[in-house]
Amino acid sequence: DTGVSQNPRHKITKRGQNVTFRCDPISEHNRLYWYRQTLGQGPEFLTYFQNEAQLEKSRLLSDRFSAERPKGSFSTLEIQRTEQGDSAMYLCASSFTLSSSYNEQFFGPGTRLTVL
Amino acid sequence: GESVGLHLPTLSVQEGDNSIINCAYSNSASDYFIWYKQESGKGPQFIIDIRSNMDKRQGQRVTVLLNKTVKHLSLQIAATQPGDSAVYFCAENRGSSASKIIFGSGTRLSIRP
């Protein structure tokens, strides 16, 4: 399968614990995006990388959230001291973008986080 | 603030009929719109897009119409099939470098046999 993959698919954790999610984009896609989706809502943009550089972060991304893409390939999203309000689906997407014009973002299946 | 993708939450259609899913937006400067389909347990899947210099675009069994005067977007699905059951989002591409997609709340399409 050459699509975007995310691991784990499901994560249940207790409040206050740290969690880390991984996203593997489509090979050679230079941009990688993270979104959060709560039940009944559309995905909300969190942040994106162009290669290894994190170029934009949403106000939704509090200090407890950190994302990395160290080698410009896979990315990790870490949430520290999880809160019940962090429960959501975390979606990763990737695209091949050379200019400022839109290029299709391909989404992964998401990681569903439940904070007890 | 300005929003995109104000949907009716649900739509039920008879199998074989045409489906029309509507969306309103408020930002008159919006210039690129995308329709996504999201099936249960999956990420959003691109269906079709349209730029603001167009008012209609057709794909396979789908047509998107854009009315900039009233800031309205619609997705038409011809001969709706059970596999079309999903949540449909209209979305806008924003950001200085086309970096983010702004999604609406979505419309859940159900197919009656």
Side-chain angles (χ1 to χ4, degrees), chain B residues 4 12 26 28 34 36 42-43 58 73 80-82 84 91 93 96 100-101:
Chain B
V4 67
S12 178
S26 60
S28 56
I34 312 143
Y36 280 88
K42 298 182 179 179
Q58 288 185 292
L73 195 68
T80 310
Q81 304 169 357
D84 295 327
N93 185 227
S96 58
K100 67 178 72 171
I101 300 173

Side-chain angles (χ1 to χ4, degrees), chain A:
Chain A
D1 188 348
T2 57
V4 177
S5 61
Q6 293 187 244
N7 288 288
R9 294 293 309 277
H10 303 274
K11 179 70 178 178
I12 300 174
T13 191
K14 293 182 179 178
R15 188 177 55 187
Q17 298 296 304
N18 299 344
V19 294
T20 300
F21 310 139
R22 177 180 170 124
C23 171
D24 287 89
I26 293 172
S27 179
E28 298 181 356
H29 274 191
N30 59 342
R31 287 194 178 179
L32 186 147
Y33 312 79
W34 285 99
Y35 292 81
R36 182 177 71 183
Q37 184 175 26
T38 53
L39 199 62
Q41 299 298 315
E44 297 171 291
F45 172 84
L46 292 178
T47 187
Y48 92 98
F49 293 83
Q50 174 134 340
N51 301 312
E52 65 276 7
Q54 188 174 17
L55 297 187
E56 189 170 350
K57 293 196 291 186
S58 162
R59 288 172 295 177
L60 294 174
L61 214 63
S62 76
D63 291 344
R64 297 184 297 105
F65 288 69
S66 62
E68 295 182 344
R69 194 184 184 199
K71 298 181 180 179
S73 56
F74 74 92
S75 174
T76 58
L77 177 68
E78 181 183 18
I79 308 175
Q80 296 182 326
R81 304 181 303 282
T82 53
E83 302 173 356
Q84 288 184 324
D86 297 330
S87 294
M89 176 77 83
Y90 290 85
L91 292 161
C92 176
S94 70
S95 71
F96 183 66
T97 303
L98 292 179
S99 68
S100 61
S101 61
Y102 173 77
N103 288 85
E104 182 180 345
Q105 295 182 20
F106 294 83
F107 283 81
T111 294
R112 180 168 296 284
L113 172 66
T114 302
V115 182
L116 302 176

Side-chain angles (χ1 to χ4, degrees), chain B residues 20-23 35 63-67 72-76:
Chain B
I20 299 176
I21 301 172
N22 295 303
C23 172
W35 281 97
T63 300
V64 56
L65 299 177
L66 176 62
N67 185 329
H72 184 270
L73 195 68
S74 69
L75 177 72
Q76 300 178 4

